[in-house]
Amino acid sequence: MSNYTIIEPQTGTAFTIKKGQILTVSDPLGRQVSDMVLFNLQDKREKISAGKSMDFEETILLTKGNYLWSNRSRKMMEIIEDTNGRNDFLLAPCSPETFQIMYGNHEEHPSCLNNLRANLAEYGIGLDDIPTAFNIFMNVQFGPDGKLSVLPPTTVAGDRIRFRAEQDLIVCLTACSAEDSNGGTFKPIHYQVSDR
Amino acid sequence: MSNYTIIEPQTGTAFTIKKGQILTVSDPLGRQVSDMVLFNLQDKREKISAGKSMDFEETILLTKGNYLWSNRSRKMMEIIEDTNGRNDFLLAPCSPETFQIMYGNHEEHPSCLNNLRANLAEYGIGLDDIPTAFNIFMNVQFGPDGKLSVLPPTTVAGDRIRFRAEQDLIVCLTACSAEDSNGGTFKPIHYQVSDR
């Protein structure tokens, strides 16, 4: 992928894209996760919805051919390519409370939620308005009993997912901060916005 | 269950309960679903979160012993009894768009989302602020490939689930309006708030 932008390990970024543009998110080294949230650029109260996306697409695992839907039951993006194939909407972005409550780690720890918050602040979007993210490349496993576990991503260097925007959008992306999501290694994420 | 309140078929209701009180939700005839959303009575921007609940409880299927969590990573309710055992957070409340987009039904159709909206309006909560509901008794099936389908509930007459409030809460409950969720029959839901 040429002309990409680097999201450094354990950070995030926010930017806008126009309807019809293509967003490519790539894992340059392999085994890394990126959380993504979306807002309608013209009305930020319309945002990506995990429940609506699983409902309309009738699947937990979303890949090429699936759409990401908003809380107003409108399409926000189509997934047009996905070389890895494991993405979902189940678990909330890792947060300070994730590390405190689930891992007993009360020291300062970077998190996707804080990175989403920091980068969405410039768009006037606050913490309470951040929805469950689309978990790109996250390897969440679930059994018939519903029990959830997180394994390292199956991505290899260069794996990518491409989305076509169905609206003008604010996009916020992270390079995930949680040890559990990426096998204990913190890595960058690359992305690119293009017209086709 | 004595001294219960009836939620008529394809309707909803909203009420408040205090921290420590017990909410019992019962399916009086069997094979009916109830959608439930929760808001912190003192600050309505704190609300039930599907992503946080699945994350902290590490399961898709929540039952006795599990907690329902807020978007601020705090416990809102504990499930203290569950005679049926099938409840989840996967699919969004049925809405006018559910019937239009998924079933091609463009006629007026009652929906859980409209019933949540109508009953939450008196608390100053608008449509965009309604989160994915906790789907009580909903029988959502998922395979290893993540594909989702909805079967009739396995509840029999009198099945119930009981919650202890961990905060003062606004509770909104429905008797589900979707044919797919309840095997094509529309039935009431009963509920009761008690001090123990």
Side-chain angles (χ1 to χ4, degrees):
Chain A
M1 189 163 70
S2 59
N3 299 318
Y4 55 81
T5 303
I6 299 171
I7 305 174
E8 297 292 347
Q10 298 187 299
T11 72
T13 189
F15 52 91
T16 65
I17 70 172
K18 291 285 186 188
K19 179 178 177 177
Q21 284 190 310
I22 308 298
L23 169 67
T24 304
V25 179
S26 166
D27 181 353
L29 302 176
R31 297 177 62 151
Q32 177 57 307
V33 167
S34 178
D35 276 9
M36 180 173 77
V37 293
L38 306 173
F39 298 84
N40 180 332
L41 179 61
Q42 277 80 39
D43 182 349
K44 291 170 286 189
R45 290 174 58 77
E46 181 170 15
K47 62 182 110 172
I48 195 168
S49 167
K52 291 286 189 190
S53 297
M54 286 192 276
D55 206 337
F56 286 122
E57 299 301 316
E58 299 182 277
T59 183
I60 291 174
L61 300 172
L62 292 97
T63 185
K64 182 179 176 179
N66 289 127
Y67 291 89
L68 308 183
W69 292 75
S70 79
N71 57 333
R72 294 184 185 166
S73 294
R74 302 198 311 158
K75 294 172 180 173
M76 300 193 98
M77 279 182 162
E78 180 183 358
I79 303 174
I80 60 172
E81 183 184 357
D82 180 11
T83 64
N84 173 250
R86 191 97 192 173
N87 323 279
D88 71 66
F89 265 118
L90 293 172
L91 302 180
C94 66
S95 67
E97 294 81 6
T98 306
F99 299 107
Q100 292 161 18
I101 297 172
M102 300 187 77
Y103 306 117
N105 179 354
H106 293 270
E107 296 178 17
E108 185 73 18
H109 194 298
S111 68
C112 283
L113 189 60
N114 270 351
N115 287 325
L116 294 171
R117 169 164 61 174
N119 287 283
L120 288 167
E122 65 183 293
Y123 294 97
I125 295 166
L127 186 63
D128 286 329
D129 298 315
I130 299 175
T132 297
F134 185 54
N135 299 312
I136 297 170
F137 306 141
M138 191 169 180
N139 188 2
V140 178
Q141 295 290 320
F142 46 87
D145 62 357
K147 294 289 180 287
L148 293 167
S149 60
V150 180
L151 296 181
T154 58
T155 41
V156 296
D159 266 334
R160 65 184 193 172
I161 184 168
R162 300 178 79 220
F163 307 90
R164 183 187 295 113
E166 297 272 332
Q167 304 177 355
D168 296 346
L169 294 168
I170 300 163
V171 178
C172 193
L173 284 171
T174 70
C176 184
S177 299
E179 285 81 352
D180 266 21
S181 296
N182 49 33
T185 63
F186 303 115
K187 292 172 179 165
I189 286 288
H190 291 181
Y191 77 94
Q192 183 181 49
V193 176
S194 58
D195 288 332
R196 59 188 176 84
Chain B
M1 190 163 71
S2 59
N3 299 317
Y4 55 81
T5 304
I6 299 171
I7 305 174
E8 298 292 345
Q10 297 187 298
T11 72
T13 189
F15 53 91
T16 65
I17 69 172
K18 290 284 185 188
K19 180 178 177 177
Q21 285 191 310
I22 308 298
L23 169 67
T24 305
V25 179
S26 167
D27 180 354
L29 303 175
R31 294 178 60 148
Q32 177 56 306
V33 168
S34 178
D35 276 8
M36 180 171 78
V37 292
L38 306 173
F39 298 83
N40 179 332
L41 179 61
Q42 276 79 38
D43 183 349
K44 292 170 285 188
R45 290 174 59 79
E46 181 170 15
K47 62 181 103 170
I48 194 168
S49 167
K52 291 284 188 191
S53 298
M54 286 191 275
D55 206 336
F56 286 123
E57 299 302 316
E58 299 182 274
T59 183
I60 291 173
L61 300 172
L62 291 98
T63 185
K64 182 179 175 178
N66 289 126
Y67 291 88
L68 309 183
W69 292 74
S70 79
N71 58 333
R72 294 183 186 168
S73 295
R74 301 199 311 158
K75 294 171 179 173
M76 301 192 98
M77 279 182 163
E78 180 183 359
I79 304 174
I80 59 171
E81 183 185 356
D82 181 11
T83 65
N84 174 252
R86 192 96 193 172
N87 323 280
D88 72 66
F89 265 116
L90 293 172
L91 303 180
C94 66
S95 66
E97 293 82 6
T98 306
F99 300 107
Q100 292 161 18
I101 296 172
M102 300 188 76
Y103 306 119
N105 178 354
H106 293 271
E107 296 178 17
E108 185 73 20
H109 194 297
S111 69
C112 283
L113 188 60
N114 270 351
N115 287 325
L116 295 172
R117 170 163 62 173
N119 287 283
L120 288 167
E122 65 182 292
Y123 294 96
I125 296 166
L127 185 62
D128 286 329
D129 298 316
I130 299 174
T132 297
F134 186 53
N135 300 311
I136 297 170
F137 306 142
M138 190 167 182
N139 188 3
V140 178
Q141 295 290 320
F142 45 89
D145 62 358
K147 295 287 180 285
L148 293 166
S149 60
V150 180
L151 296 180
T154 57
T155 43
V156 297
D159 267 332
R160 66 183 190 171
I161 184 168
R162 300 178 79 219
F163 307 90
R164 182 187 295 114
E166 299 270 333
Q167 304 178 353
D168 296 346
L169 295 169
I170 300 164
V171 178
C172 193
L173 284 171
T174 69
C176 185
S177 299
E179 286 81 351
D180 266 21
S181 296
N182 49 34
T185 63
F186 302 114
K187 292 171 178 165
I189 286 287
H190 291 180
Y191 77 93
Q192 184 182 49
V193 177
S194 58
D195 288 332
R196 59 190 176 87

